[in-house]
Amino acid sequence: LQQSMEELAALYPQVKSVSVVPVGLTRHRQGLYPLRPYTEGEAQGVVDQVEAFAAQCLAEKGSRIFWCSDEFYLQAGRALPEDDFYEEYTQLENGVGMLRLLETELKGAVMTAPEEIPPVAPFSIATGVAAAPFLGEIIDRAAAKCHTKLDYSVYPVVNHFFGETITVAGLLTGQDLLAQLKGKHLGTRVLLPQNTLRHGETVFLDDMTVEELSQGLGVPVIPVEQDGFALFETIFGV
C-alpha cells in the first residue's frame, strides 16, 4: 500500500485524489483465490497508514490526496474525521466522507428549520449493517435540537443475497429487505437510501421494484437521496 501511494502521489496533480476502499467479498467465490475481510485491527492499521501518508502529502503538496472510505473507519471502530478533513469531497462517489457530509447537511437543515415542528408519524429506516448505528445517532441528535421526539426504528439489513460480509446499503436487494422487514414495527412508512436502487430507476439489484416491496410490507417505501437536507425534509415534513 505504501509503495502504491508513493507512486500515485508522485503523479499529483494529474492524480488529484485516491480512495482506499476495502474489497467487497461476496459469497460467490467458488474457485477463486481465498480472500477474507479485514479484521478490526487490520482496518485500524490501514487507516493509520493512509492518514499518516495523507498528512505528509498535505504538508508537501497542499492536499491529502488519499482518503479511506467510510467503511474502513466503521470497520476499524474509529470516529469519522471532521468535515474539513475531506477538503472538496472529491471521492464522495466512492463512499469517502459520505456519512460525515450527511451529518453536516443534516445539521444545516436543523439550523434553518422552524422553531416548532408538528409531531411526526411513526416510521422506520432500512439501511446497510455498516451505517445503521451512525444514522440513528445523527437523527437522534437532529430531533433533540429540534425539541421533537421521534417514534422510529433503524433496521440494519443483512445482505444474504451477495453475502453477509457486504455491509453497505448500495448492494441491498429487495428480497433481503422484504424478508427482514416483514412483520417488524415499521410505522407508517419505510425510508431507505436512494442508492439501494439502480441508477435512475425504482428497481433493486434483484429486479424487485419499490412498488412490489411496498405491497409486500404493507406500508409505503420511500427512497431518500443521500443528502442531509432531503433526509430532514422527508422525516420532519419541513
Side-chain angles (χ1 to χ4, degrees):
L1 176 59
Q2 186 69 26
Q3 181 179 346
S4 296
M5 289 193 294
E6 290 174 356
E7 291 174 353
L8 290 169
L11 300 176
Y12 182 83
Q14 285 73 27
V15 174
K16 186 177 181 181
S17 64
V18 179
S19 59
V20 181
V21 181
V23 62
L25 299 174
T26 73
R27 62 185 177 85
H28 305 288
R29 295 191 52 79
Q30 294 80 3
L32 298 178
Y33 186 84
L35 296 172
R36 60 171 178 78
Y38 283 87
T39 65
E40 181 176 315
E42 290 168 344
Q44 290 172 353
V46 171
V47 170
D48 289 341
Q49 184 178 7
V50 173
E51 283 191 347
F53 187 72
Q56 180 181 332
C57 290
L58 180 63
E60 296 176 354
K61 303 177 185 294
S63 172
R64 287 184 171 83
I65 306 175
F66 298 90
W67 288 271
C68 285
S69 67
D70 294 358
E71 191 178 358
F72 253 129
Y73 283 95
L74 296 174
Q75 285 187 358
R78 294 278 182 84
L80 294 169
E82 295 303 317
D83 187 63
D84 59 359
F85 177 87
Y86 293 102
E87 298 176 17
E88 298 177 352
Y89 283 95
T90 52
Q91 287 289 334
L92 193 62
E93 291 187 2
N94 288 328
V96 175
M98 185 178 294
L99 294 178
R100 176 58 70 208
L101 182 58
L102 182 69
E103 180 183 25
T104 300
E105 292 170 339
L106 192 58
K107 287 179 179 177
V110 170
M111 292 176 63
T112 60
E115 292 185 6
E116 293 187 14
I117 297 178
V120 175
F123 67 97
S124 54
I125 298 176
T127 190
V129 171
F134 181 83
L135 189 58
E137 289 172 8
I138 64 174
I139 291 174
D140 285 346
R141 286 200 291 269
K145 289 181 179 179
C146 291
H147 308 290
T148 302
K149 184 173 178 60
L150 295 178
D151 179 5
Y152 80 106
S153 299
V154 177
Y155 292 109
V157 178
V158 178
N159 198 320
H160 295 304
F161 187 91
F162 288 109
E164 291 74 10
T165 57
I166 303 296
T167 60
V168 296
L171 291 176
L172 289 175
T173 58
Q175 58 189 268
D176 277 336
L177 288 160
L178 178 60
Q180 295 176 52
L181 294 177
K182 196 172 182 62
K184 295 284 200 309
H185 173 65
L186 300 177
T188 59
R189 54 194 170 133
V190 176
L191 313 183
L192 76 166
Q194 180 79 41
N195 66 355
T196 58
L197 304 172
R198 293 176 181 170
H199 182 68
E201 301 182 41
T202 58
V203 180
F204 297 97
L205 294 177
D206 59 352
D207 294 329
M208 182 182 290
T209 66
V210 172
E211 183 180 357
E212 288 171 339
L213 180 59
S214 297
Q215 291 175 349
L217 295 177
V219 295
V221 173
I222 304 172
V224 183
E225 295 177 24
Q226 188 71 27
D227 177 278
F229 292 95
L231 179 62
F232 186 87
E233 182 179 353
T234 304
I235 289 175
F236 295 97
V238 294

